[in-house]
Amino acid sequence: MAAPNFVDKTVWTGDNLDILRGMNSDTVDLIYLDPPFNSNRNYEAPVGSKAAGAAFKDTWSLSDLDVAWMGLIADEHPAIAYILDASGRAHGKGMQSYLTMMAVRLLEMRRVLKDTGSIYLHCDSYASHYLKMLMDAVFGVPSYQNEVVWKRNSSHNDSKRFGRVTDVLLFYGNFINPDAVRIPLNPDYVTKAYRHEDDKGRFRADNLSAKSLTGGGTHMTFTDIMGRGDTLNTGC
């Protein structure tokens, strides 16, 4: 594993693709990514703020550079090329351009990220489903850990749809040592939440709704305290 060729807590400005290309491979533990969202809107910092004068366009159109990038990606990463092509056919050239921009940078991020590192991509509903497929192709499906839904404001009344009040964090990482990302529970919480204890440790009484099962419930046979057998059908 190469040593980092940058100083910790360094702040760079400019296009992150240029910065990433200058970084050694397998040197980064954590990446948090907050890119444009392909919202088809233009943004400017408010007058009077410290960032006054800053602006960027979050609108995209397919350029000759995008086409060149897609050609290079198709040669080395066919799965990504298929996703870019499908996004253009299903959503339009703007989405294809946006995802091409993201793909070349995510590939560099995969290169600099350690095998034990993790990455969090912040996005919203405009492109989150396409970005999920792109992240799967770049980092690998087994690396997917969570889709974290962040409620950024309370509900509001949109005239023709449910309120769009959430953003998404796509979390990927390969953890050789899962304990590296865990912290102990607060002892006071453990005592209050897990009130029962036996020779195997502390536990709490809960229902049998199988609410924690992914993909549906199950059939369980149990015997109650009166010795009567019964069958419980949970889920669907």
Side-chain angles (χ1 to χ4, degrees):
M1 183 180 295
N5 59 337
F6 53 89
V7 179
D8 191 25
K9 298 182 176 64
T10 300
V11 177
W12 289 279
T13 60
D15 190 336
N16 64 0
L17 181 60
D18 298 329
I19 305 301
L20 287 164
R21 285 174 169 172
M23 298 172 66
N24 287 344
S25 301
D26 305 314
T27 54
V28 175
D29 291 297
L30 172 66
I31 296 175
Y32 170 75
L33 184 60
D34 191 357
F37 287 0
N38 192 27
S39 62
N40 291 314
R41 296 171 57 189
N42 298 331
Y43 299 90
E44 295 183 5
V47 176
S49 72
K50 293 182 178 181
F56 75 93
K57 294 182 178 181
D58 193 11
T59 55
W60 304 86
S61 59
L62 203 62
S63 66
D64 291 341
L65 179 59
D66 294 326
V67 174
W69 276 124
M70 286 188 290
L72 293 173
I73 290 172
D75 292 338
E76 299 185 13
H77 307 280
I80 296 176
Y82 286 131
I83 293 170
L84 298 179
D85 180 67
S87 69
R89 294 173 184 271
H91 196 283
K93 299 302 182 182
M95 181 64 75
Q96 190 174 20
S97 173
Y98 170 73
L99 291 177
T100 301
M101 179 277 297
M102 292 295 299
V104 295
R105 287 159 177 79
L106 287 171
L107 286 168
E108 287 295 327
M109 292 180 195
R110 179 65 189 93
R111 180 185 63 80
V112 304
L113 194 66
K114 294 180 181 178
D115 288 341
T116 55
S118 56
I119 178 170
Y120 295 80
L121 170 61
H122 182 187
C123 55
D124 68 4
S125 60
Y126 285 106
S128 61
H129 41 301
Y130 291 108
L131 287 168
K132 172 64 169 61
M133 295 179 64
L134 186 58
M135 295 282 280
D136 284 347
V138 173
F139 294 94
V141 174
S143 297
Y144 172 69
Q145 299 293 333
N146 287 99
E147 179 183 88
V148 182
V149 178
W150 167 42
K151 184 180 178 183
R152 52 185 167 77
N153 57 269
S154 58
S155 61
H156 50 76
N157 294 323
D158 287 332
S159 59
K160 297 182 180 180
R161 61 174 182 262
F162 296 117
R164 295 174 177 172
V165 297
T166 60
D167 281 354
V168 171
L169 295 172
L170 298 174
F171 169 29
Y172 285 72
N174 295 316
F175 301 113
I176 295 175
N177 178 14
D179 291 333
V181 294
R182 295 174 179 164
I183 59 175
L185 293 174
N186 185 297
D188 291 337
Y189 168 78
V190 172
T191 301
K192 293 178 181 179
Y194 299 89
R195 299 180 180 181
H196 308 285
E197 187 173 7
D198 60 16
D199 57 345
K200 296 181 180 180
R202 304 189 68 88
F203 65 95
R204 65 183 178 188
D206 207 337
N207 61 57
L208 296 177
S209 64
K211 61 184 178 181
S212 62
L213 295 181
T214 299
T218 185
H219 294 273
M220 292 177 286
T221 300
F222 64 95
T223 303
D224 65 14
I225 59 174
M226 300 299 293
R228 297 170 299 192
D230 204 349
T231 299
L232 175 67
N233 182 16
T234 66
C236 55

